[in-house]
Amino acid sequence: MTGPAASTDVLVIGGGVIGLSVAWRAAEAGLRVTVADPDPGGGASRAAAGMLTPLAEAAYAEHDLFCLGQESLGRYPAFTAALTSLTGLPTGFRQDGTLQVAYDHDDLAVLAELHRLQAEFGRQASELTARQCREAEPMLDPSVSGGLLTPDDGSVDPRLLTAALLAAAELTGATMTRQPAIELLTEDGKAGGAVLGDGTVLRAASVVLAAGWQSAGLAGLPATAVPQVRPVKGQILRLRDNGATRAAGLPAGLLTRTVRGIVRGSTVYLVPRATGELVVGATQEELGADTTVTAGGVWQLLRDARLLVPGITELELAEVTAGLRPGTPDNGPLIGPSPGLPGLLLATGHFRSGVLLAPVTAEVIAGYLTGAGAPPVATPFAPDRAARATRAARATRAATPGAAPCR
């Protein structure tokens, strides 16, 4: 049984950093927008560290994803400036680079391989000796054997960012409905809205599915339109400066920039905030929709982070969180029209890069909604790519030395 009916131009299902970015840009373009989410800004967005590091996270067979990340990073200064100008709220955006470090000589060999890959992608970090790494970040352990500095990388505080996005969306006219969308409505073979948790029927000319890993579970989706997303668990720590480090003349959070480390084959990252908070993450666990915080996960992160920055043991353990990233078979997001249902746009499957890819995803989806189309850099991430067999071609192209530069 359903309740009263309402209508809108665009229904965005999901109010994380992706959904809110889409809502803001679509409302800014003059569309009537409604966001359905019981807890806007919660979920994976709240748990994220907020790294903006496409070069530092470059991987074989993911050249197109690297290019998309670079494109989105280039939009971040204007994106966050516009948010703050409109709302008066901070986003925590900073672009002070990423220092990648290797703990021992075996780890240094892994870092050297990454350096070669970066060169193949047409971008390259600066190679640093062990001494230069410690000059850049004096709190690093003397055992660190070398590193790479990527000066254009940055970070943002996702909690501040989502608060600013929520305010921006509302200020530009978007409506927040703090109800879940429990069933997609279709009419004449086209997406036409959704039934909300309170029984309200919300009709929409276009529906944007931006519900992260839960996108695949929306009732009413035809089998041909179900996105291939799955939950990937990640545990993350937040440490807090209790004042002792600042009193000793040390930087807030002990570091001046994001540090990504390879420690005896494991990876760990440390992201400092201007407030003195230090975010340490993250595990990657294929355990379904499990958000249990485990002693093993916490121990692993603290163990590896302490080997790189021993001073973290003096910080307060303020929070431990487990979030669920939306993974896809090829690690790439699904951005664009659903191949199985007209009227449905997908903005999901961003895996580890939801925060990084928010600006470009919002632009792409807004382009489809207004008829402007999508930039070429987003074409490889159209939801119909599996049907077009582009995944194999993309892997071959990215693995070939001298991969084409990003357009």
Side-chain angles (χ1 to χ4, degrees), residues 181-232:
I182 61 174
E183 183 179 357
L184 184 71
L185 296 177
T186 58
E187 187 173 350
D188 298 327
K190 181 180 182 296
V195 179
L196 306 183
D198 62 359
T200 299
V201 174
L202 183 57
R203 306 232 173 244
S206 298
V207 177
V208 179
L209 185 52
W213 70 271
Q214 294 178 303
S215 297
L218 180 64
L221 275 172
T224 55
V226 176
Q228 293 187 57
V229 292
R230 70 188 191 283
V232 182

Side-chain angles (χ1 to χ4, degrees), residues 134-185:
R134 290 191 294 275
E135 288 174 352
E137 293 293 345
M139 298 306 294
L140 287 173
D141 189 88
S143 298
V144 167
S145 56
L148 302 173
L149 181 63
T150 54
D152 295 332
D153 282 353
S155 65
V156 68
D157 186 333
R159 296 182 180 184
L160 295 179
L161 179 64
T162 51
L165 283 168
L166 178 58
E170 292 180 320
L171 285 169
T172 50
T175 300
M176 296 294 144
T177 299
R178 286 173 169 77
Q179 292 286 333
I182 61 174
E183 183 179 357
L184 184 71
L185 296 177

Side-chain angles (χ1 to χ4, degrees), residues 71-320:
E71 186 79 12
S72 201
L73 176 61
R75 285 165 164 71
Y76 244 99
F79 183 77
T80 52
L83 277 174
T84 298
S85 176
L86 175 63
T87 67
L89 298 174
T91 63
F93 173 67
R94 50 196 290 183
Q95 197 164 12
D96 37 25
T98 298
L99 179 61
Q100 300 170 267
V101 297
Y103 181 69
D104 60 26
H105 288 290
D106 288 338
D107 298 327
L108 193 60
V110 175
L111 205 60
E113 181 66 20
L114 176 59
H115 199 220
R116 286 190 288 272
L117 173 64
Q118 292 171 344
E120 291 177 13
F121 282 6
R123 305 283 180 109
Q124 203 163 16
S126 301
E127 197 167 8
L128 302 185
T129 65
R131 175 176 291 182
Q132 289 171 325
C133 287
R134 290 191 294 275
E135 288 174 352
E137 293 293 345
M139 298 306 294
L140 287 173
D141 189 88
S143 298
V144 167
S145 56
L148 302 173
L149 181 63
T150 54
D152 295 332
D153 282 353
S155 65
V156 68
D157 186 333
R159 296 182 180 184
L160 295 179
L161 179 64
T162 51
L165 283 168
L166 178 58
E170 292 180 320
L171 285 169
T172 50
T175 300
M176 296 294 144
T177 299
R178 286 173 169 77
Q179 292 286 333
I182 61 174
E183 183 179 357
L184 184 71
L185 296 177
T186 58
E187 187 173 350
D188 298 327
K190 181 180 182 296
V195 179
L196 306 183
D198 62 359
T200 299
V201 174
L202 183 57
R203 306 232 173 244
S206 298
V207 177
V208 179
L209 185 52
W213 70 271
Q214 294 178 303
S215 297
L218 180 64
L221 275 172
T224 55
V226 176
Q228 293 187 57
V229 292
R230 70 188 191 283
V232 182
K233 178 180 176 179
Q235 299 184 58
I236 193 166
L237 316 178
R238 282 174 167 77
L239 310 180
R240 184 176 299 146
D241 183 353
N242 57 16
T245 55
R246 292 191 184 188
L250 300 175
L254 300 177
L255 300 170
T256 61
R257 60 175 63 80
T258 296
V259 170
R260 295 177 58 90
I262 303 172
V263 183
R264 295 171 180 168
S266 298
T267 58
V268 66
Y269 56 74
L270 301 93
V271 185
R273 306 272 193 242
T275 59
E277 183 180 73
L278 184 67
V279 181
V280 180
T283 65
Q284 188 167 306
E285 306 166 61
E286 297 278 359
L287 295 173
D290 170 41
T291 54
T292 304
V293 172
T294 65
V298 174
W299 174 79
Q300 174 188 328
L301 292 173
L302 288 176
R303 175 200 66 192
D304 293 345
R306 180 180 177 277
L307 287 173
L308 294 179
V309 184
I312 67 164
T313 56
E314 302 302 317
L315 302 179
E316 174 189 353
L317 179 57
E319 182 182 315
V320 184

